[in-house]
C-alpha cells in the first residue's frame, strides 16, 4: 500500500477506511475489480509488479527449473523463486486482496493469468514468471503459437492437479538423472503418482507406472493385482490433452 500511496495518492482505495483497503481474505468472491478497472486497476497491478518482483525479488527459477521445491508454496515463499504456476498463484492471491479479479488459466506448457479490463473489455494475460509481464491475446498467440482465448479459467482443483502433474515430471527427471537409479519406498515419484491417481485430472492414468514401482519395491502386491485386473476400466486420456508436460 505504501508504494501505491507514493505513486498514486489519489487512488480511490485511499478513500476507504484502512481496515477496508485490503480484503480480509482471499475467499471473498469478486465478480469485477473493486475500483472500476481501467487505469485504477493498472495502477494497482503496476505497483504490485514493482513490490513483488523488484522489492521482494520474487523470480522464476531458471537455474533449477525442475527442482521439486519450485512446486512447494512454502519453499517458494522462503526462496522467493518458483515456476510459472506457483508464482501465478501467489501473484493472483495478492491481487485479489487488493481488489483485482485475475483468473488462472490452463495455458499449455506455461501457466498464465487472465485479467479483463472492465472499461475496454480487452483481455490481458499476465506472466508471473516474466515479472508480471502483460500481453494481449494476439501477442500470446504469436509468441506461443496458441490462442489463450480458447483456454477456460482453471478451478482450484485443476490448478492443484496441474501442480501434481508438474511434481511427477520433476520426479521422473530426477530419477533419470540420479546416480543411484534405485527407487526408495518414500521416493517423490511414487508419492506424486499415488497423488495423481487419488485426485484424477485430465492426464494419463498412472496405473502402469504405479504397478512398476510397487513391483520394483516388492510391496503392495494386492494393489498391483487389483490395478491390472481393472485395466479395462481405467480412465481414458482425452486425445486433446495428450502432449508435453505443463508448468
Amino acid at each position: 500500500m505504501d508504494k501505491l500511496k507514493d505513486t498514486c495518492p489519489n487512488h480511490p482505495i485511499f478513500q476507504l477506511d484502512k481496515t477496508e483497503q485490503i480484503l480480509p481474505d482471499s475467499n471473498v468472491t469478486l465478480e469485477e475489480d473493486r475500483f472500476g478497472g481501467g487505469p485504477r486497476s493498472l495502477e494497482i497491478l503496476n505497483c504490485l509488479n514493482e513490490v513483488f518482483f523488484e522489492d521482494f525479488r520474487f523470480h522464476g527459477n531458471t537455474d533449477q527449473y525442475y527442482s521439486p521445491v519450485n512446486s512447494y508454496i512454502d519453499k517458494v515463499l522462503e526462496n522467493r523463486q518458483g515456476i510459472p504456476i506457483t508464482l501465478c498463484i501467489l501473484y493472483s492471491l495478492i491481487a485479489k486482496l487488493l481488489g483485482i479479479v485475475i483468473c488462472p488459466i490452463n495455458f499449455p506448457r506455461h501457466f498464465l493469468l487472465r485479467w479483463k479490463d472492465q472499461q475496454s473489455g480487452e483481455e490481458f494475460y499476465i506472466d508471473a514468471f516474466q515479472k508480471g509481464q502483460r500481453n494481449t491475446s494476439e501477442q500470446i498467440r504469436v509468441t506461443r503459437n496458441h490462442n489463450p482465448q480458447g483456454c477456460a479459467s482453471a478451478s482450484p482443483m485443476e490448478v492443484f492437479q496441474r501442480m501434481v502433474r508438474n511434481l511427477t515430471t520433476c520426479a521422473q527427471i530426477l530419477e533419470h538423472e540420479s546416480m543411484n537409479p534405485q527407487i526408495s519406498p518414500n521416493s517423490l515419484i511414487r508419492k506424486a503418482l499415488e497423488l495423481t491417481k487419488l485426485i484424477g485430472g485430465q492426464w494419463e492414468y498412472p496405473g502402469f507406472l504405479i504397478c512398476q514401482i510397487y513391483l520394483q519395491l516388492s510391496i503392495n502386491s494386492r494393489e498391483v493385482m487389483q490395478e491390472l485386473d481393472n485395466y479395462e476400466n481405467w480412465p481414458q486420456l482425452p486425445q486433446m490433452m495428450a502432449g508435453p508436460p505443463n508448468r
Side-chain angles (χ1 to χ4, degrees), residues 21-237:
Q21 291 176 2
I22 298 178
L23 294 175
D25 62 70
S26 60
N27 292 322
V28 174
T29 300
L30 287 179
E31 299 296 333
E32 57 184 24
D33 292 357
R34 294 176 76 193
F35 306 104
R40 294 310 189 184
S41 291
L42 287 173
E43 289 168 352
I44 291 177
L45 290 175
N46 289 338
C47 287
L48 174 56
N49 282 356
E50 187 170 349
V51 172
F52 191 74
F53 299 110
E54 302 299 331
D55 295 349
F56 284 92
R57 298 183 180 181
F58 279 87
H59 61 279
N61 189 351
T62 55
D63 293 333
Q64 295 181 309
Y65 190 83
Y66 290 100
S67 171
V69 298
N70 295 323
S71 293
Y72 304 144
I73 293 295
D74 60 326
K75 293 300 182 181
V76 174
L77 288 169
E78 178 182 334
N79 301 326
R80 301 191 181 186
Q81 59 183 2
I83 51 177
I85 191 168
T86 46
L87 292 174
C88 279
I89 289 172
L90 294 176
Y91 187 98
S92 62
L93 287 175
I94 297 171
K96 186 175 182 180
L97 293 175
L98 295 171
I100 308 297
V101 179
I102 297 179
C103 300
I105 64 169
N106 261 323
F107 191 80
R109 299 179 181 84
H110 193 95
F111 204 80
L112 294 172
L113 300 169
R114 179 162 48 212
W115 171 69
K116 185 174 182 178
D117 185 349
Q118 296 165 217
Q119 294 189 9
S120 67
E122 187 174 7
E123 292 181 341
F124 293 89
Y125 296 85
I126 300 173
D127 187 349
F129 196 74
Q130 297 295 334
K131 297 187 175 182
Q133 183 182 82
R134 292 189 294 271
N135 295 288
T136 64
S137 59
E138 179 61 18
Q139 289 171 321
I140 294 293
R141 188 190 66 78
V142 170
T143 57
R144 299 193 177 276
N145 197 32
H146 190 88
N147 186 359
Q149 292 180 319
C151 297
S153 298
S155 68
M157 176 55 76
E158 288 171 333
V159 173
F160 181 48
Q161 289 169 339
R162 184 156 169 170
M163 291 179 72
V164 174
R165 170 69 172 179
N166 288 341
L167 273 177
T168 302
T169 301
C170 292
Q172 291 172 327
I173 292 174
L174 290 176
E175 295 286 356
H176 178 73
E177 295 178 347
S178 175
M179 297 298 293
N180 180 12
Q182 181 68 32
I183 298 176
S184 69
N186 296 314
S187 68
L188 175 61
I189 191 169
R190 175 191 169 189
K191 292 180 178 180
L193 289 171
E194 289 174 338
L195 188 53
T196 299
K197 177 185 173 183
L198 178 66
I199 66 176
Q202 298 296 320
W203 316 107
E204 183 177 358
Y205 185 73
F208 279 128
L209 288 174
I210 290 177
C211 288
Q212 182 180 4
I213 290 174
Y214 286 169
L215 289 172
Q216 183 173 343
L217 295 172
S218 299
I219 63 173
N220 299 343
S221 58
R222 180 177 300 178
E223 285 82 351
V224 171
M225 294 304 299
Q226 290 175 344
E227 281 288 344
L228 296 179
D229 287 342
N230 196 44
Y231 167 72
E232 293 183 353
N233 296 320
W234 285 1
Q236 297 298 307
L237 174 66

